[in-house]
Amino acid sequence: MTRRFQAAVLRSYEDPFTVEEVALSAEPAPGEILVEIAGAGMCRTDLAVRRSAGRSPLPAVLGHEGAGVVVATGGDPADGLAVGDHAVLSFDSCGHCGNCRAASPAYCDSFASLNLFGGREEEPPRLTDATGKALAPRWFGQSSFAAYALVPARNAVRVDPALPLELLGPLGCGFLTGAGAVLNTFAAGPGDTLVVLGAGAVGLAAVMAATAAGTRTVAVDRHPERLDLAERFGATPLAAGTRGLAERIRRLTDGGAQYALDTTASAPLINDALRALRPTGALGLVARLHTPLPLEPGTLDRGRSIRHICEGDAVPGLLIPRLIGLWQAGRFPFDQLIRTYPLADVNEAERDCDGGRVVKPVLLPERPERPERPERGER
């Protein structure tokens, strides 16, 4: 059966998205689910495709922070998911390499090929445009800037149907990355100190998670409104252009931060963060570096370390429910960072995101009226 629906298609690296009809001719295979998308967050990784120097195949349907309702499965248990379940979608992983078996799916041996550069080798493209031309294989196992997404079931995390499903998608990547860096990578807790460089979606998620963990935090950004948000969520704000930034951070953290998280890829800020660490302190990088990173003399002295963090070192099936629980307790108010847009306004959402006018855009596909689905167990 061919399913036709609206999707935001990126056809070239320079042009706007076009919202158009696409066709999905495949039903879910074993281990897959078809999800009707309720909302999909827009992440800067989606927008970075424009700067990928041709490595990401186009035309493509992007989107990798989807959430929605399962409308079909591949006929097997599909990792415990059934028709009618509500699910948050996260990144793809193979499930059988050494890192996946060691509960480190973000470091899957096939992460790049599954998520960034064209999907699983054994899978042909399944989406086509109105002329029958194939679109690129699914992005991050999702391609969720669309009314429907065909995804591996291992990407999906079942959630309570009473939750506001259309807002949950960013928990699958951006918010997961920032919070996971604090809660998983650093395992920060009461008495620890953290400096967060960049108060965007990832950085503010880190601030919220640190506050929930009882960690004292300094947030650095160049936008006053972002610093206001960081302060609202429990951080001490500090302007990025502050003279003697490293020394100011050391004073605010009683001699130096134990942890630092950089979301900016700014070499000067990274060096400031390293100088602001106490002995044995650790700096995590989540932004992709596009140029060599010059480290100034002494920045890695006295046991300080630096490493890249992918997807918050998270197992999505464990961290997403934890973050939802914190949100329900009023301790991880990620919904305050979201502004929703109809899918048709995808280009406005991109402009607002690039311009810093919104922290986390979420796209809402148009959903046709239909009878209410039966509750799980009543089918």
Side-chain angles (χ1 to χ4, degrees), residues 51-313:
R51 302 184 296 277
S52 66
R55 292 182 298 165
S56 298
L58 296 181
V61 178
L62 303 179
H64 66 284
E65 292 183 342
V69 179
V70 178
V71 294
T73 72
D76 62 345
D79 284 355
L81 290 159
V83 171
D85 282 340
H86 290 204
V88 173
L89 311 181
S90 195
F91 59 88
D92 200 0
S93 56
C94 75
H96 52 73
C97 71
N99 284 334
C100 284
R101 292 198 304 270
S104 296
Y107 304 98
C108 173
D109 288 350
S110 301
F111 186 92
S113 62
L114 294 180
N115 291 285
L116 300 172
F117 306 127
R120 299 170 189 264
E121 291 182 0
E122 67 273 16
E123 293 177 0
R126 303 184 193 183
L127 280 178
T128 58
D129 64 16
T131 68
K133 181 179 179 180
L135 303 175
R138 54 193 172 195
W139 174 250
F140 274 81
Q142 296 184 37
S143 291
S144 53
F145 287 174
Y148 291 89
L150 184 64
V151 304
R154 67 176 281 106
N155 288 30
V157 178
R158 188 170 64 239
V159 296
D160 186 338
L163 296 169
L165 184 61
E166 69 279 5
L167 302 183
L168 301 185
L171 293 175
C173 184
F175 297 156
L176 173 119
T177 296
V182 172
L183 301 176
N184 294 332
T185 309
F186 299 147
D192 288 328
T193 50
L194 166 73
V195 56
V196 175
L197 306 175
V202 174
L204 290 170
V207 168
M208 289 187 286
T211 300
T215 299
R216 190 148 47 99
T217 306
V218 175
V220 178
D221 201 282
R222 58 193 176 92
H223 297 293
E225 63 275 12
R226 296 293 176 90
L227 291 176
D228 289 344
L229 284 170
E231 186 172 24
R232 182 198 305 174
F233 298 141
T236 300
L238 190 57
T242 299
R243 187 177 180 86
L245 182 64
E247 179 57 34
R248 285 288 304 276
I249 294 171
R250 284 197 295 270
R251 288 203 300 268
L252 290 169
T253 55
D254 296 333
Q258 183 62 41
Y259 305 110
L261 181 69
D262 178 70
T263 72
T264 70
S266 164
L269 285 179
I270 289 170
N271 278 277
D272 278 333
L274 285 168
R275 285 195 298 269
L277 291 176
R278 66 179 61 240
T280 74
L283 167 65
L285 308 178
V286 296
R288 178 176 291 274
L289 299 172
H290 296 285
T291 59
L293 174 63
L295 295 181
E296 297 171 7
T299 52
L300 287 179
D301 290 354
R302 305 186 71 195
R304 298 185 183 101
S305 62
I306 182 172
R307 60 157 289 193
H308 179 259
I309 301 170
C310 187
E311 300 287 357
D313 286 346

